[in-house]
Amino acid sequence: LKAERRVPSREADEIRNANAGGRSMENWESYFCTVEDERAFIVVNLGLASEAPMADYPFLGYVSFAISLPDADGFPAEDEDEALNDLEDALVEAFSQGDSACCAGHCLSDGRFDVYFYLRCAEAWHERVTAVLNGRTSHDWESGSHADAEWELYHEFLFPDDYALLQIHNKRGCAELLEQDDDLERSRIIEHWTAFPERDQASSFISAAGALGYTADEPVLEEYAPEPESDNSGSAGPEV
């Protein structure tokens, strides 16, 4: 499975942006994870996070396709992968008209390809999906909808956890290096910084890191001031 192929196509992004009512909420990312003990691949629009939940879209609608020939991980072969992406794009084009829905993402796992939309109105959802897919696919599929005013599926299922966010940031970093013709196989030093309120804590951390094979500098005392939005009752203090 090629991760970049699971991200919605440029044409689909243009359709979404053209029908987004002036909103700029497109930030698509993908990551691997585990769903109910099965390997999964999720594509999510992180751009919705700053607005979610959106009161105008209180319903969740989904379309679930059965993968015809899943591999050992439950993922499709390349040809079927492209066909499923085309079906998603067709759904996006249809339901983005009139700003009636926004696509939150999709999940590929355990022989299923599930696409998720947030809807202004859930009435006749299955009929609307049928009108789009009729004659387009021989895949078995099902659809459904229910109220999700708090966007729980987006926040608790599609949105990446801390580890997945690290995957995403690492992928972005590698992409930037490749754009600069960097050799990703070249060994290099990666530095990390950690702050502690007490020197003893910093020293204990250095000892533990050294036991794991890391090289650490001696702790340095630095002065810092609270951020403007933090409690103004505090004063500048030490940080190790």
Side-chain angles (χ1 to χ4, degrees), residues 22-42:
R23 298 191 307 270
S24 178
M25 298 185 297
E26 297 298 324
N27 180 12
W28 290 91
E29 282 292 353
S30 58
Y31 63 95
F32 287 97
C33 61
T34 300
V35 175
E36 297 182 350
D37 298 324
E38 298 290 343
R39 187 166 169 79
F41 189 84
I42 289 178

Side-chain angles (χ1 to χ4, degrees), residues 32 49 58 107-108 132 138 235:
F32 287 97
C107 176
L108 184 65
V132 176
S138 59
S235 58

Side-chain angles (χ1 to χ4, degrees), residues 17-18 36 56 88 90 109 120 137 143-144 165 212:
N17 288 327
E36 297 182 350
D56 289 343
E88 181 188 24
S109 181
R120 288 185 180 275
T137 181
S143 66
L165 281 172
L212 294 173

Side-chain angles (χ1 to χ4, degrees), residues 183-198:
D183 179 7
L184 298 185
E185 295 184 0
R186 178 173 60 86
S187 298
R188 68 199 72 205
I189 295 174
I190 299 176
E191 296 181 334
H192 303 271
W193 290 266
T194 307
F196 298 91
E198 302 292 340

Side-chain angles (χ1 to χ4, degrees), residues 103-193:
C103 185
H106 66 241
C107 176
L108 184 65
S109 181
D110 197 21
R112 306 292 304 187
F113 176 62
D114 302 329
V115 187
Y116 298 99
F117 293 85
Y118 277 94
L119 315 172
R120 288 185 180 275
C121 174
E123 184 177 356
W125 172 244
H126 183 76
E127 289 75 14
R128 291 155 64 188
V129 174
T130 300
V132 176
L133 297 181
N134 189 29
R136 288 182 181 270
T137 181
S138 59
H139 285 87
D140 291 333
W141 62 273
E142 59 187 52
S143 66
S145 63
H146 60 80
D148 186 10
E150 297 301 317
W151 285 40
E152 290 184 8
L153 182 127
Y154 178 80
H155 288 298
E156 299 177 14
F157 179 68
L158 290 176
F159 199 84
D161 61 15
D162 290 344
Y163 181 77
L165 281 172
L166 181 60
Q167 288 185 49
I168 290 169
H169 290 313
N170 287 343
K171 183 174 65 175
R172 288 177 175 176
C174 289
E176 291 175 1
L177 290 173
L178 287 173
E179 288 178 358
Q180 300 171 20
D181 296 324
D182 197 293
D183 179 7
L184 298 185
E185 295 184 0
R186 178 173 60 86
S187 298
R188 68 199 72 205
I189 295 174
I190 299 176
E191 296 181 334
H192 303 271
W193 290 266

